[in-house]
Amino acid sequence: MSAVENAVLLCQSCGEETDHRLAYAGRLLVVTECRHCGHTIVRDVRARYLADLKQRVATKPVRMLRRFVRHPVGFTSSLPRTTMRKPSELLDEVRLVWGSRRA
Ligand SMILES: [Zn+2]
């Protein structure tokens, strides 16, 4: 999943504690952007992303089973929605990891 989170961090460019936008591809932090001055740090995580994705795919059935056992109704009712979103989430991750290198 490509996810964006916000956090207050010390910006190395403007020297202030400001809101930052953090963009993740799966479990990997790819982009950090200061919302005050726009200073952006892009990490090249391509090799690590492929290893992480491979591990996530390999463990997906076990994680799904674990979620089903813990919350059968919630898991079952959310399955159609989450299944439909997966391809676009994966595409967003790939765009973030490879597209951010051109920025
Ligand atoms: Zn800044």
Side-chain angles (χ1 to χ4, degrees), residues 11-16 18 20 34-39:
C11 176
Q12 63 181 265
S13 178
C14 64
E16 297 181 25
T18 62
H20 283 70
C34 175
R35 306 292 290 238
H36 179 70
C37 73
H39 179 66

Side-chain angles (χ1 to χ4, degrees), residues 5 9 14 19 25 27 29-30 36 44-45 51 63 69-71 74 76 81 83-84 89-91 97-98 100:
E5 294 185 13
L9 300 171
C14 64
D19 287 332
R27 296 177 289 189
L29 177 61
V30 181
H36 179 70
D44 185 359
V45 297
R63 288 183 289 125
V69 169
R70 287 183 185 157
H71 309 284
T76 305
R81 181 172 28 91
T83 302
M84 293 294 288
E89 289 176 358
L90 184 61
L91 195 57
V97 171
W98 269 267
S100 61

Side-chain angles (χ1 to χ4, degrees), residues 22-79:
L22 312 173
Y24 291 86
R27 296 177 289 189
L28 302 172
L29 177 61
V30 181
V31 179
T32 305
E33 178 186 12
C34 175
R35 306 292 290 238
H36 179 70
C37 73
H39 179 66
T40 302
I41 298 171
V42 179
R43 299 174 64 220
D44 185 359
V45 297
R46 289 175 289 185
R48 290 179 57 206
Y49 176 74
L50 290 176
D52 183 62
L53 182 62
K54 185 177 173 183
Q55 199 267 340
R56 286 164 47 205
V57 169
T59 60
K60 187 66 172 177
V62 173
R63 288 183 289 125
M64 288 177 70
L65 180 61
R66 191 178 307 140
R67 215 171 317 159
F68 175 74
V69 169
R70 287 183 185 157
H71 309 284
V73 175
F75 174 82
T76 305
S77 63
S78 69
L79 192 58

